[in-house]
Amino acid sequence: MEKLARKQVQQLTPYLSARRIGGSGDVWLNANESPFDNEYKTDFARLNRYSECQPKALIEAYAAYAGVKPEQTLTSRGADEGIELLIRAFCEPGEDAILYCPPTYGMYAISAETIGVERKIVSLTPDWQLDLAGIEANLDKVKLVFVCSPNNPTGNLVKREDIVSLLEMTKDRAIVVMDEAYIDFCPEASTVDLLAQYPNLAILRTLSKAFALAGLRCGFTLANEELINVLLKVIAPYPVPIPVAEIATQALSEAGLARAKFQVLDLNANRAYLQVGLSMIPGLEVFEGWGNYLLVKFPDGDALFKAAWDTGIILRNSPIENCVRISVGNRDECEKTLGFIRNYYR
């Protein structure tokens, strides 16, 4: 069957998600998931009927939360589907390209490769900011430029003035896709206010992180109405199952938003606790993080990762040399992880 697959698929290396990598333990800090297991109720009625393509209550609830109009909002199966929709809608296979800036989220490249769209790489600067000159020199054939802020796995914010410069640079040439999967942990850094000024801006959001709904697979794309209408041409007929829409709408209710805000405050406090504790261990470099994770550089990252893995503390290896990404869990998980690392370097 392998030889019947498209050539791009035959050569494709799949994204190694945390679940594909596996592991066995009682402290799971490898997938940037929330430690909060919130309860929701649904009667599972109307399952004999198809869902709406864009459930009205859900769209209105998220638009209100994000501060945009409902017609500027599209919901999908996680932000990952949003990535794929943008590439499918705007890139001609074999002709157009996307551009992304590693180290960053791996699905931009894999989605493009799967569809047969060229990938152009302009690495981030040493301080993990945009190389604007490098991007400008590589915009030929580029339809989409992906920027992640807070960036995964580094955790830093991309400078707002550089994002504005990129939007100006790509006017009438390409769409800038801001991946704001972790923006709920630092909402003041969102680019949502730029939508009114830049029709070439699209923003990816998700309920997986701050809303503790990774297993629900519910994401959003925010953009001007014309761009949203293009995406609606290529999205599946029934992308959001009825129970997903009902639970997501509950999460975006007044009570749900209050709970999410409280839990974000708790996770940000745990991140600070972990950052301070790790910074006190000689030989470690802890990078400032704005999401629900920290990137830490160890004397030997692979050895630390394996030692933690063997004791049931599951972290995430990073493509950056000797760096390990640590998700922020509950206080008990953070204490166990910090204690293990302290003892390891004692």
Side-chain angles (χ1 to χ4, degrees), residues 15 29-32 100-108 124 128 147-157 179 182 271 285-297 315-327:
Y15 178 70
L29 301 180
N30 65 334
N32 296 346
Y100 64 101
C101 306
T104 194
Y105 185 44
M107 280 306 297
Y108 314 137
L124 296 174
W128 294 329
V147 179
C148 189
S149 184
N151 186 40
N152 178 16
T154 60
N156 68 290
L157 293 172
D179 187 341
Y182 301 94
R271 183 186 66 210
E285 183 176 4
V286 185
F287 299 99
E288 186 175 24
W290 293 88
N292 63 334
Y293 55 94
L294 288 170
L295 188 72
V296 184
K297 188 170 186 178
L315 309 177
R316 185 73 148 126
N317 244 341
S318 163
I320 304 167
E321 187 177 9
N322 287 322
C323 288
V324 175
R325 193 190 69 191
I326 304 174
S327 302

Side-chain angles (χ1 to χ4, degrees), residues 189-202:
S190 177
T191 57
V192 73
D193 61 300
L194 297 175
L195 286 172
Q197 187 177 351
Y198 294 101
N200 62 323
L201 172 62

Side-chain angles (χ1 to χ4, degrees), residues 44 85 93 134 143 177 207 232 272 310:
F44 295 102
L85 288 172
K143 288 285 191 71
V177 184
L207 298 185
L232 286 170
D310 290 343

Side-chain angles (χ1 to χ4, degrees), residues 97-282:
I98 70 160
L99 187 151
Y100 64 101
C101 306
T104 194
Y105 185 44
M107 280 306 297
Y108 314 137
I110 288 177
S111 292
E113 189 175 2
T114 301
I115 296 168
V117 170
E118 182 184 350
R119 287 90 54 216
K120 291 192 176 186
I121 297 172
V122 178
S123 296
L124 296 174
T125 62
D127 59 345
W128 294 329
Q129 293 297 325
L130 297 178
D131 176 1
L132 291 173
I135 292 173
E136 189 167 25
N138 285 276
L139 281 179
D140 184 48
K141 299 196 298 181
V142 169
K143 288 285 191 71
L144 300 168
V145 180
F146 287 92
V147 179
C148 189
S149 184
N151 186 40
N152 178 16
T154 60
N156 68 290
L157 293 172
V158 176
K159 294 176 184 175
R160 182 180 173 90
E161 59 266 31
D162 288 353
I163 296 169
V164 172
S165 295
L166 180 60
L167 286 163
E168 290 285 346
M169 182 194 304
T170 54
K171 269 185 176 178
D172 302 319
R173 297 182 66 182
I175 296 164
V176 174
V177 184
M178 292 299 304
D179 187 341
E180 293 189 348
Y182 301 94
I183 205 68
D184 307 280
F185 297 97
C186 51
E188 67 281 357
S190 177
T191 57
V192 73
D193 61 300
L194 297 175
L195 286 172
Q197 187 177 351
Y198 294 101
N200 62 323
L201 172 62
I203 299 172
L204 297 170
R205 296 280 192 87
T206 183
L207 298 185
S208 294
K209 314 302 181 182
F211 285 88
L213 288 171
L216 197 69
R217 308 309 302 129
C218 186
F220 300 89
T221 303
L222 310 177
N224 68 82
E225 186 176 2
E226 185 180 3
L227 195 156
I228 293 295
N229 286 337
V230 173
L231 297 183
L232 286 170
K233 290 183 176 183
V234 298
I235 197 169
Y238 316 108
V240 183
I242 288 171
V244 170
E246 290 179 351
I247 291 170
T249 303
Q250 290 175 41
L252 293 162
S253 67
E254 185 177 355
L257 291 173
R259 177 173 59 190
K261 184 176 181 179
F262 172 81
Q263 292 175 352
V264 163
L265 289 172
D266 189 58
L267 290 173
N268 283 346
N270 288 349
R271 183 186 66 210
Y273 164 82
L274 200 55
Q275 185 169 0
V276 170
L278 290 169
S279 297
M280 296 173 68
I281 301 173

